[in-house]
Amino acid sequence: KIVETLLQSLYVLEFRDFPLCAVAWWQYRSGANTGGNVMASIQTGDRGAAPSASSSSPAADAKKRRAKPVLLNRLEGCTSTVNAAVAIPQEDAVISVSEDSTIRVWLKRDSGDYWPSICHACPCPASCIDYDGTSKRLFVGIDTGTIMEFLLADDLNRMTPKRSYSAHMSRVTDLSAALDLSWLLSVGRDKYFQWHCTDTGRRLGGFKSDAWCTAVQLDAATKYVFVADYAGQINVLKLEDQSLSHVTALKGHSGSIRSLTWDPDNRLLFSGSFDESIVVWDIGSQKGTALELHGHAGKVRGLSYIPHAKKLFSGGDDAMLIVWDMTADRKEVSRCTGLKSSENSAVFSLTIWPSYFFSKKRSSQHHNSVCKPNVISSSHSQT
């Protein structure tokens, strides 16, 4: 199932043969006569649980890869932009945060409709969210730079404030709770990456970027952290016990990076940018290789990768939700004649067809390949 949030409402869609995950879209207006659909953030609520094993034919597998979303429901009630939403694992429930300063927990009723079981008022607009289904701990970033932690009741009808983290000096743009490591990672418009302990609430370290930080992802196995910024680069940090070191910076986008997502199995980092492209950074090969996906006709605002399904979800200003089948055969070719790259870096274009496009306006399949200059730091191989 996919949850799509548009301005003041959420849409629940079902992808057959996929577990529950959540997609947050928002609609913004920068002036009296302007407006558009913008992907905000996407998070999987399943946390990597694999579907039940079953024997299937190649034709059946191909049909699954082309599974289309079906609109199930629409969630209404927020009075302003919905900034993010996440599905609760193993439950017909969704958590959303909004510019109307509310945190809402939506439960599916016997009627089939979703209604809020919780509507918590924050002191200011809520900007981002992370939720751990095992411990039922909820983390919400707000405009003042504070991260609030709550504990949800088993029946999802009550949540109790647990702790507040004074993490940033301005809006929290993204956060990630790694509770197995007792870490809370966050980034904000104050240009800082912050690292806190979830057991004590103590700050463990921080890193200042040259521009607004926009997204953060963690490779829990190696303890590398990837911090994207508004200048279009990704800083790679190494966390060890209570020490932090800067490893390198990945440079491949010509526009600001809005979202990151991580493939823990193949150790691939996906980044979505305002330059309308998605770059797949092959961190695991340690060769500095990067692949590029083209399919959007607008800024890419949100990404989510589901490891066991090998599917990448992306969305952007073109009001399109694209499902990429990352198991599809692809041909790697040099992107630009005469492109100069360092000895340890390789730049490729990824020729791959999205498995499905979803739009409120149209549904179609196409692929667009664009040749753009790209520079990838040769020190990328250190990661």
Side-chain angles (χ1 to χ4, degrees), residues 205-228:
F207 171 81
K208 187 176 183 180
S209 177
D210 294 331
W212 284 359
C213 296
T214 55
V216 61
Q217 282 288 303
L218 168 70
D219 178 6
T222 62
K223 299 182 181 178
Y224 280 106
V225 175
F226 306 95
V227 178

Side-chain angles (χ1 to χ4, degrees), residues 226-351:
F226 306 95
V227 178
D229 66 28
Y230 204 75
Q233 72 175 16
I234 303 169
N235 288 295
V236 182
L237 311 175
K238 175 68 172 178
L239 306 186
E240 293 183 276
D241 297 326
Q242 297 185 21
S243 65
L244 180 154
S245 59
H246 182 263
V247 178
T248 188
L250 308 181
K251 300 177 182 179
H253 286 288
S254 60
S256 301
I257 299 173
R258 181 58 184 87
S259 58
L260 296 174
T261 190
W262 176 250
D263 174 5
D265 297 330
N266 299 303
R267 299 197 64 226
L268 299 175
L269 178 69
F270 302 87
S271 58
S273 171
F274 287 7
D275 63 11
E276 303 181 3
S277 72
I278 301 165
V279 172
V280 186
W281 307 87
D282 189 357
I283 305 297
S285 70
Q286 300 185 9
K287 295 180 180 179
T289 303
L291 309 174
E292 195 167 27
L293 305 179
H294 287 281
H296 284 283
K299 298 174 182 177
V300 180
R301 298 275 184 167
L303 296 172
S304 183
Y305 183 75
I306 302 180
H308 63 263
K310 308 300 181 187
K311 296 289 189 299
L312 173 69
F313 295 83
S314 66
D317 280 6
D318 54 2
M320 297 292 292
L321 171 65
I322 301 179
V323 186
W324 304 86
D325 179 11
M326 300 309 296
T327 65
D329 293 335
R330 57 186 182 268
K331 182 180 181 181
E332 297 175 358
V333 295
S334 179
R335 292 173 54 213
C336 299
T337 303
L339 177 66
K340 295 181 179 180
S341 60
S342 63
E343 182 180 352
N344 295 325
S345 298
V347 183
F348 296 99
S349 176
L350 180 61
T351 304

Side-chain angles (χ1 to χ4, degrees), residues 76-90:
E76 296 183 294
C78 295
T79 59
S80 187
T81 303
V82 177
N83 286 328
V86 61
I88 299 179
Q90 314 304 323

Side-chain angles (χ1 to χ4, degrees), residues 53-254:
S54 60
S55 58
S56 59
S57 64
D61 291 338
K63 184 177 180 180
K64 285 183 179 181
R65 289 198 297 268
R66 295 191 298 270
K68 296 182 179 182
V70 179
L71 180 63
L72 297 181
N73 216 318
R74 173 172 174 161
L75 287 62
E76 296 183 294
C78 295
T79 59
S80 187
T81 303
V82 177
N83 286 328
V86 61
I88 299 179
Q90 314 304 323
E91 301 281 353
D92 281 325
V94 176
I95 308 172
S96 67
V97 294
S98 171
E99 285 292 322
D100 65 6
S101 303
T102 62
I103 305 170
R104 298 171 190 257
V105 179
W106 307 78
L107 293 181
K108 189 175 182 179
R109 308 300 181 178
D110 293 339
S111 63
D113 295 327
Y114 286 80
W115 293 93
S117 62
I118 298 173
C119 183
H120 177 85
C122 300
C124 61
S127 53
C128 54
I129 187 173
D130 197 11
Y131 176 72
D132 181 76
T134 302
S135 64
K136 291 184 167 53
R137 294 169 73 177
L138 172 66
F139 299 85
V140 178
I142 60 177
D143 245 12
T144 60
T146 299
I147 299 173
M148 302 184 299
E149 180 182 349
F150 301 89
L151 184 64
L152 261 67
D154 290 338
D155 60 4
L156 304 179
N157 284 306
R158 183 180 69 261
M159 66 182 192
T160 306
K162 185 175 181 182
R163 180 182 286 122
S164 291
Y165 303 82
S166 299
H168 299 273
M169 298 298 293
S170 59
R171 187 182 181 99
V172 183
T173 52
D174 195 15
L175 59 86
S176 176
L179 299 186
D180 291 342
L181 299 170
S182 298
W183 289 354
L184 175 62
L185 312 178
S186 63
V187 292
R189 288 186 178 177
D190 58 359
K191 303 182 181 180
Y192 269 96
F193 158 79
Q194 299 287 12
W195 171 29
H196 286 81
C197 174
T198 57
D199 291 336
T200 64
R202 185 167 62 92
R203 180 181 180 272
L204 301 177
F207 171 81
K208 187 176 183 180
S209 177
D210 294 331
W212 284 359
C213 296
T214 55
V216 61
Q217 282 288 303
L218 168 70
D219 178 6
T222 62
K223 299 182 181 178
Y224 280 106
V225 175
F226 306 95
V227 178
D229 66 28
Y230 204 75
Q233 72 175 16
I234 303 169
N235 288 295
V236 182
L237 311 175
K238 175 68 172 178
L239 306 186
E240 293 183 276
D241 297 326
Q242 297 185 21
S243 65
L244 180 154
S245 59
H246 182 263
V247 178
T248 188
L250 308 181
K251 300 177 182 179
H253 286 288
S254 60

Side-chain angles (χ1 to χ4, degrees), residues 3-5 10 22-26 38-43 82-85:
V3 179
E4 173 198 356
T5 54
L10 294 143
V23 180
W25 283 16
W26 84 73
V38 181
M39 174 65 77
S41 62
I42 312 176
Q43 302 179 19
V82 177
N83 286 328

